[in-house]
Amino acid sequence: MKWLAVLLAAVVMAGCATPPPVVAPAGSVESGVLWRTGRFAVNVEELGGKQHAVQGGFTWRDAAREGLTLDLNSPLGAALARVEVAPDGSAVLIEANGTRTPADSADDLVARVLGSPIPVAGLRHWLRGQLPGAHEAQILQTDTQGRPTTFVQGGWRVQITEFDAIGPVRLQLQRNEPGNRNINARLVMTPSAAP
């Protein structure tokens, strides 16, 4: 009975440490707020063939005027961390144990959580099917509706293989860094039920 009480106390304390997850519809845009949920996988190959991989789920709520909230979860659904991005671009990482780490950008914080960079700043636009600073993007391929399906921007090669009513559903991101470090990330959104 004693160990059960200790376990219950640990669960309650863990629940208090992490902010409650953002509850979102499968995919929607309401009053300019973009909601997305889905899965991610990141693979990093170092020089010499050493590989690192991380995967899990995410919930994305992006209201440009209010900021962005990104929840990252383990494959089993346990909270890994939350990244909150203010309208000015500054960000804070809230870890599962309640530790808060501020930074100048969300990209830096997500790299700390996952151990590999993910272009959160670019994703804010890419998930809406937009290319920020389009003159800086090299569009390699478009679909029959004129939407970019393969492009290079900010050092990332992005391939989009499926869209729904909101925007891209499947994104493959690739980056080759100095020192022969290759990063591959895959994002799969829960398709929108929107018409």
Side-chain angles (χ1 to χ4, degrees), residues 29-175:
V29 178
E30 296 175 8
S31 302
V33 178
L34 174 67
W35 293 90
R36 280 300 204 182
T37 59
R39 314 271 316 149
F40 70 88
V42 180
N43 295 295
V44 180
E45 185 175 348
E46 305 281 353
L47 180 65
K50 187 175 180 180
Q51 294 195 17
H52 310 277
V54 64
Q55 59 186 330
F58 68 88
T59 300
W60 177 283
R61 180 187 182 277
D62 185 8
R65 293 181 182 171
E66 301 169 20
L68 164 71
T69 301
L70 171 62
D71 285 335
L72 299 171
N73 303 306
S74 74
L76 298 177
L80 294 174
R82 169 176 284 179
V83 176
E84 295 179 348
V85 184
D88 68 359
S90 63
V92 63
L93 169 70
I94 306 168
E95 298 179 50
N97 64 7
T99 302
R100 298 175 67 92
T101 306
D104 292 335
S105 77
D107 292 5
D108 293 341
L109 290 179
V110 172
R112 289 183 202 176
V113 175
L114 301 180
S116 301
I118 291 290
V120 177
L123 284 171
R124 292 189 85 166
H125 300 279
W126 301 342
L127 289 179
R128 294 177 186 267
Q130 303 169 348
L131 295 179
H135 60 282
E136 299 168 3
Q138 180 185 3
I139 299 174
L140 305 176
Q141 202 169 15
T142 59
D143 67 7
T144 56
Q145 296 180 34
R147 299 175 295 200
T149 55
T150 305
F151 58 91
V152 177
Q153 189 171 37
W156 291 89
R157 180 185 174 94
V158 181
Q159 184 173 14
I160 301 169
T161 57
E162 185 179 338
F163 290 86
D164 65 9
I166 295 173
V169 171
R170 295 179 180 274
L171 291 93
Q172 182 76 35
L173 295 87
Q174 182 179 18
R175 181 182 179 100

